[in-house]
Amino acid sequence: MAGRSYRHAPGGAGSRRLRDRHPEIEYLAGAYFHQDYDLEADSPMGVIRKFRTDEAPGQVQALREALRLLIDSGANEQQLAEVWLRRGAGASYDPRTDGLEFSGFLKNVVDELS
């Protein structure tokens, strides 16, 4: 959506340090972007749409908020990659293979979940 702001008040309630765990993001990465994610949908955004329809509205809202907080954290691309691709619950999809930066991909996910 054009003109959408992903910024929250600096230091606002609910802000997280980057090194904190991101369970909602880790759940999406591990449960939906597993090694066979491309068999589940025709595109990464198709996987996000599947998440949106399969999960409870509260789970979708929690993920959307976690992504907004991460985007607003000031993390650089390398730090965003670490969160998304982290070992254990890491995603098998790397948006850089499609020519996308992590920040742009995560913003697209927030928009798709809205």
Side-chain angles (χ1 to χ4, degrees):
M1 202 185 258
R4 178 176 292 243
S5 173
Y6 293 94
R7 298 284 175 209
H8 295 275
S15 65
R16 291 183 177 163
R17 293 185 323 238
L18 183 61
R19 68 176 180 241
D20 289 348
R21 294 207 45 203
H22 301 85
E24 301 87 358
I25 298 170
E26 291 173 3
Y27 175 69
L28 174 69
Y32 283 82
F33 283 94
H34 48 75
Q35 67 183 15
D36 294 325
Y37 76 89
D38 56 341
L39 300 176
E40 303 289 332
D42 60 352
S43 69
M45 285 302 115
V47 174
I48 298 302
R49 286 187 289 277
K50 180 173 176 36
F51 175 89
R52 190 182 63 215
T53 59
D54 289 357
E55 298 295 331
Q59 181 72 20
V60 173
Q61 180 179 351
L63 174 61
R64 192 172 50 239
E65 183 61 21
L67 289 168
R68 285 183 180 144
L69 289 171
L70 178 61
I71 292 164
D72 292 348
S73 72
N76 63 36
E77 291 298 312
Q78 182 178 349
Q79 292 166 321
L80 294 174
E82 169 62 23
V83 171
W84 183 248
L85 301 172
R86 153 184 335 227
R87 290 184 190 158
S92 291
Y93 171 67
D94 185 336
R96 296 173 293 194
T97 62
D98 289 331
L100 298 171
E101 292 184 337
F102 278 93
S103 56
F105 169 69
L106 296 175
K107 288 176 184 176
N108 289 344
V109 171
V110 169
D111 289 344
E112 190 65 44
L113 295 174
S114 296

